[in-house]
């Protein structure tokens, strides 16, 4: 079951050879480290079980060293039994033949017992490589893996390829694609976001994992990088503000902020504990709105120019969709508990 995971979270395992870029990826994506600072990272030589405030469960493993398939005491099931995706990082700026050999033997070892694990190959550090060269490398790597697997009678293993770099948003884009395959009811989430875009005349809506700024669903209009970047930067701003002013807040504190006399104008509104905000960026002229859905997820949308006046209607629709999204996740959780 691809979606089965610890506490209902999709679980990702990041593997690859030393210096391939694993710690950098996890630091940039999950710990907000500026890419330049990864130059000074100590290489990982340990299992990192990040306990994170994220929608997904994420671990980093170094390879070689940590997985010895021939060691009978090694509990493979504990590691691979529940994972949704195995992300394999290959350094595209280095000689990658050894990395491919190890990946091939890992896939061949896992295939018989865990045929459903999605293998996601990150052809990494492609910044600085020309577009032609990137595609050549990708073709070469795909061919070498396919040849080796079919020599061993393994056809149609679920393997996907992504060109990534921590120096641009490609790493986030790749993670978004990886995670979306693990979301049960993704079509339902997408349908909700499509409805929202239609009813509120939004240009684009994303459901983001707040910690990593990976989007786990979006409406069906095409993703363009500038809009994605603006939305993800906006999350940073809101998260920073929420860290300072957010909960857990005592009841007295909330009362002092939101009770008499401040609540007078809000009497008609439903009490709402989630963060919500909207902003108009002057260079873009289009408002952006953000609404927290649960403790991990936030809805971020780009509105159309001039639609700020319709904010009350927008807020109402967003409220309904946020409820809908929450319900979808509750259903998923129940099903995971039953199975
Ligand atoms: P690990 O041993 O797999 O955890 O590898 P590290 O994360 O320590 O990365 C090794 C080196 O690769 C570091 O100097 C990083 O700055 C560099 N690196 C990581 N990702 C990228 C990338 O996308 N592009 C480039 N050019 N360098 C990267």
């Amino acid at each position: 079951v691809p979606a089965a995971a610890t506490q209902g979270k999709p679980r990702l395992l990041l593997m690859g050879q030393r210096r391939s870029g694993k710690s950098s990826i996890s630091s940039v994506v999950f710990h907000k480290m500026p890419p330049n600072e990864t130059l000074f990272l100590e290489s990982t030589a340990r299992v990192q079980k990040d306990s994170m405030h994220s929608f997904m469960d994420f671990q980093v493993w170094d390879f070689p060293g940590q997985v010895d398939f021939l060691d009978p005491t090694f509990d493979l099931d504990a590691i691979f039994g529940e994972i949704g995706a195995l992300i394999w990082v290959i350094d595209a700026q280095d000689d990658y033949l050894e990395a491919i050999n190890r990946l091939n033997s890992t896939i061949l070892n896992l295939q018989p017992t865990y045929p459903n694990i999605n293998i996601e190959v990150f052809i990494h550090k492609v910044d600085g490589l020309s577009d032609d060269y990137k595609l050549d490398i990708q073709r070469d790597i795909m061919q070498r893996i396919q040849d080796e697997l079919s020599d061993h009678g393994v056809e149609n293993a679920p393997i996907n390829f992504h060109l990534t770099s921590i120096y641009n948003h490609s790493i986030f884009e790749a993670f978004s694609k990886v995670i979306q395959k693990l979301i049960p009811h993704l079509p339902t989430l997408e349908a909700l976001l499509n409805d929202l875009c239609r009813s509120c005349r939004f240009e684009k809506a994303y459901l983001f994992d707040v910690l990593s700024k990976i989007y786990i669903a979006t409406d069906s209009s095409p993703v363009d990088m500038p809009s994605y970047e603006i939305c993800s930067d906006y999350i940073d701003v809101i998260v920073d503000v929420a860290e300072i002013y957010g909960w857990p807040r005592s009841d007295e504190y909330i009362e002092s902020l939101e009770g008499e006399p401040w609540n007078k104008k809000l009497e008609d509104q439903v009490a709402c504990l989630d963060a919500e905000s909207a902003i108009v960026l002057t260079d873009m002229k289009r408002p952006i709105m953000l609404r927290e859905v649960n403790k991990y997820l936030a809805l971020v949308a780009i509105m159309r120019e001039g639609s700020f006046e319709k904010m009350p209607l927008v807020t109402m629709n967003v409220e309904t969709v946020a409820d809908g999204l929450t319900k979808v996740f509750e259903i998923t959780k129940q099903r995971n508990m039953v199975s």
Side-chain angles (χ1 to χ4, degrees), residues 19-24 38-39 43-44 124-125 127 165-166:
R19 307 295 295 161
S20 57
K22 300 176 300 298
S23 338
S24 307
T38 64
L39 290 167
S43 197
T44 26
H124 189 55
K125 307 192 194 179
D127 48 280
S165 163
I166 52 167

Side-chain angles (χ1 to χ4, degrees), residues 8-256:
K9 290 184 183 186
R11 192 165 156 212
L12 307 176
L13 191 56
L14 192 72
M15 278 189 167
Q17 287 183 293
R18 208 150 284 173
R19 307 295 295 161
S20 57
K22 300 176 300 298
S23 338
S24 307
I25 293 174
S26 93
S27 307
V28 169
V29 175
F30 293 99
H31 300 284
K32 280 200 200 181
M33 183 183 275
N36 282 326
E37 284 177 24
T38 64
L39 290 167
F40 314 110
L41 272 177
E42 301 269 326
S43 197
T44 26
R46 61 194 179 278
V47 184
Q48 281 189 342
K49 193 174 183 344
D50 271 337
S51 61
M52 297 177 308
H53 207 65
S54 167
F55 174 73
M56 55 209 108
D57 182 63
F58 179 78
Q59 294 185 25
V60 180
W61 285 58
D62 236 9
F63 204 96
Q66 288 175 341
V67 183
D68 181 358
F69 292 104
L70 299 176
D71 181 350
T73 62
F74 202 82
D75 186 359
L76 278 185
D77 214 38
I79 301 147
F80 295 104
E82 287 188 338
I83 76 167
L86 171 60
I87 299 173
W88 192 280
V89 185
I90 295 180
D91 182 346
Q93 295 189 4
D94 197 15
D95 178 13
Y96 50 72
L97 290 186
E98 180 59 19
I100 292 178
N101 287 339
R102 291 195 178 272
L103 170 58
N104 282 336
S105 60
T106 305
I107 298 173
L108 289 171
N109 272 301
L110 291 180
Q111 262 291 316
T113 325
Y114 312 102
N116 291 327
I117 294 180
N118 288 347
I119 315 271
E120 308 281 352
V121 181
F122 283 11
I123 303 173
H124 189 55
K125 307 192 194 179
V126 294
D127 48 280
L129 305 184
S130 77
D131 284 348
D132 281 351
Y133 189 60
K134 274 186 227 174
L135 292 179
D136 280 350
I137 288 189
Q138 176 166 357
R139 215 170 296 132
D140 185 51
I141 292 178
M142 286 168 79
Q143 194 65 49
R144 286 173 192 276
I145 294 173
Q146 213 170 20
D147 288 352
E148 179 73 11
L149 295 188
S150 55
D151 280 355
H152 288 83
V154 175
E155 308 282 350
N156 306 324
I159 308 177
N160 304 287
F161 296 86
H162 312 262
L163 294 163
T164 57
S165 163
I166 52 167
Y167 287 96
N168 54 46
H169 277 73
S170 59
I171 192 69
F172 295 92
E173 180 74 18
F175 265 108
S176 300
K177 290 195 172 129
V178 168
I179 200 76
Q180 286 183 19
K181 285 187 210 130
L182 307 179
I183 311 271
H185 306 297
L186 181 66
T188 314
L189 299 181
E190 288 173 341
L192 280 168
L193 295 176
N194 278 334
D195 282 350
L196 182 68
C197 284
R198 207 171 310 123
S199 61
C200 297
R201 301 193 59 246
F202 286 161
E203 278 193 8
K204 188 84 196 135
Y206 296 97
L207 185 60
F208 272 98
D209 176 50
V210 172
L211 180 103
S212 61
K213 292 175 289 155
I214 290 165
Y215 64 89
I216 69 161
T218 183
D219 68 290
S220 54
S221 71
V223 173
D224 74 306
M225 272 302 139
S227 85
Y228 168 74
E229 285 172 26
I230 284 173
C231 289
S232 79
D233 289 349
Y234 188 48
I235 289 183
D236 274 346
V237 174
I238 300 303
V239 165
D240 287 348
V241 172
E243 255 166 34
I244 301 168
Y245 299 106
W247 55 100
R249 298 173 293 184
S250 66
D251 288 344
E252 301 90 75
Y253 183 69
I254 294 175
E255 177 66 21
S256 71

Side-chain angles (χ1 to χ4, degrees), residues 226 230 279-288 305:
I230 284 173
I279 192 171
V280 185
L281 298 180
T282 41
D283 60 334
M284 214 172 73
K285 298 224 178 61
R286 291 169 298 179
I288 303 181
E305 203 174 329

